[in-house]
Each structure stands twice: as structure tokens, then as C-alpha cells.
Amino acid sequence: MSFQYSQDQVGFQKLKDASLWFIIIGILSLVGFFVGVGAIIDIVALILFFMFAIPSLRQSFQIFYSTGKDVSQGFTGINLIPIGIIVEILGGIISAVGIVTKSVAIISVGGIIVLLAAVILFIAGLLIGLSIYHVGSFYSNDMLKFGGILIIIPFVSFIGWILTYIASDELSRRLGGGMFTPPTPLSPTTLQVYQVGQGVIKADGTAVLTLYSSTSLMITSAYIDGTPYVSNQITPAILSPGHNTITIKFPPITGSLGNNY
């Protein structure tokens, strides 16, 4: 098994751990909703969230990112979560003050702030779910892709983490047991890969192009000919037979606009 897939196995183990913590936190939140000690349970869930769930999720994304997976959005999502929680707490405090003082205006301001927090947390879940979806796409695992989609949806995100846990466990065992065989290039006589139309490279280093492939194969890296720019951040990294729209993230490009590469 290559170094990349050995690393990804660890990444799936971390993602599995993170999913388990999110499942536990979801159960605690559900229990807290129906019992009279909800505030205490919410505090415990918040501690578990920041001590275990978020660190494990960040570690998994760091590993996947190091092996070229498109999970950069997930880091942004993770960073947005504390902001959303702080804004939510602030809105709750302002609303409570409004209730005590019987001020409709203060209650309204608190409600608007809580709504803003909900939007921030939704965006965080969206970015995290998309990153998990991208990992699932790389390994053609429908369960992980579906889990990533459900994580985006607030009221069913709990189910998304359950599916992510199951899929991560399966993929970790497949990689650990050598049961995953990446596509291998065929001989030049049977393999056809060529660009369709003209691609574009933006100033931030993002390149988008369309490739035709006669079979399934993996792109391990890409470089811009005649330059030092090299990247292994390729989405999707596995070509399917037919036309494939590929996005490659190079470092920011320094050069004149309109150059051909």
C-alpha cells in the first residue's frame, strides 16, 4: 500500500473518531431537550465538542489535505463553529435581558443575533459536509457522500454523522487490509487521455480544464510545464471514462494575464 493510502487510513480513523463524538453529542443534546437538566447536559456536550470532536475532525482534514484531497473548505467550516457559538450565546444573553426588562426591542435584537448565529453554523456545517462529500467522491463511496450531504441539513445532520462513521470504518479497514486498489495506467496502446477545449488558470492558482479519458485512472500530481508550479490538490483525482472537468489548485500564479501554459 502506498504512503498516500496509508495516511488516508489514519485520516479515516480520525474521521471515524470525530463522527462518534458528534453522534454522542447529538444523543446528549436530544436527551437534554427532554429532561429537566438540559443546561447541564448542553455544557457537557459543549466540552466534548471542543475537546474531542473538533480536534479529531481537524486532524482528519489535515491528513486528507496532505494527500491531495479537496477539504480546504472544511477548515473554514471548523473555524466558523466557535464564532457561531459565541454569537449564539451573545444573542441568548441579550434576549434574556430583554425578557427580564420586558423590552421588545432588546428581545428583537437578541433574536436577530441568534438568527445570525444559526446562519453562521449552517455555513460551517455546509463547508464540513462538502469536504466529507469530496473525500467520498475520491473513493467512490456513496455512503460517505450521502453522509456529507446529510451533515449539511441541520435536522438530519445526526444521521449524516452515523453514515460517515460507518463509511469511515469501512474505508479504514479496506485500506488497512490492502483491499483498495487504485486505478493504474494502461499501456499507451489502450489508454487515451487528452484535453478538450481550452482551460483557464486564475491568478490565485486555480486551474480548470476538461479531460477526456478512455478509462478510469488516477491523477497523482500536476505541473505547469516550464514553471516551478506543482500540485497534488486535484479534484476529482480519479478520472472516469468520458469527459471530466478537473480543478487543480496551484500556488498563486505570477505572470502576465493572457499567457498560455
Side-chain angles (χ1 to χ4, degrees), residues 175-189:
L175 292 175
M179 292 181 284
F180 177 81
T181 304
T184 54
L186 303 178
S187 66
T189 57

Side-chain angles (χ1 to χ4, degrees), residues 91 94-95 106-116:
I94 293 175
S95 297
I106 295 177
I107 294 174
S108 299
V109 171
I112 293 172
I113 294 176
V114 170
L115 181 61
L116 175 63

Side-chain angles (χ1 to χ4, degrees), residues 34 37 62 85 122 168 179 189 206 232:
F34 289 103
V37 291
Q62 287 172 339
I85 291 176
F122 172 78
S168 298
M179 292 181 284
T189 57
T206 301
N232 62 357

Side-chain angles (χ1 to χ4, degrees), residues 199-209 246-253:
V200 62
I201 303 177
K202 300 178 182 179
D204 65 356
T206 301
V208 181
L209 64 153
I246 307 297
T247 300
I248 308 171
K249 293 187 177 181
F250 292 103
I253 304 297

Side-chain angles (χ1 to χ4, degrees), residues 4-16 18-19 56-72 75 128 131-136 138-139 144 164 167-168 171-172 175 232-234:
Q4 173 181 337
Y5 297 109
S6 174
Q7 288 291 96
D8 279 358
Q9 182 195 5
V10 179
F12 282 119
Q13 290 172 349
K14 292 294 182 182
L15 183 57
K16 175 184 172 183
S19 301
S56 295
L57 185 61
R58 186 184 296 276
Q59 289 170 8
S60 71
F61 283 166
Q62 287 172 339
I63 292 171
F64 290 133
Y65 185 80
S66 70
T67 57
K69 312 302 181 297
D70 183 16
V71 295
S72 56
F75 294 113
I128 290 171
S131 292
I132 292 174
Y133 177 89
H134 291 154
V135 176
F138 183 91
Y139 280 97
L144 190 59
T164 300
S168 298
L171 287 166
S172 176
L175 292 175
N232 62 357
Q233 297 181 50
I234 304 166

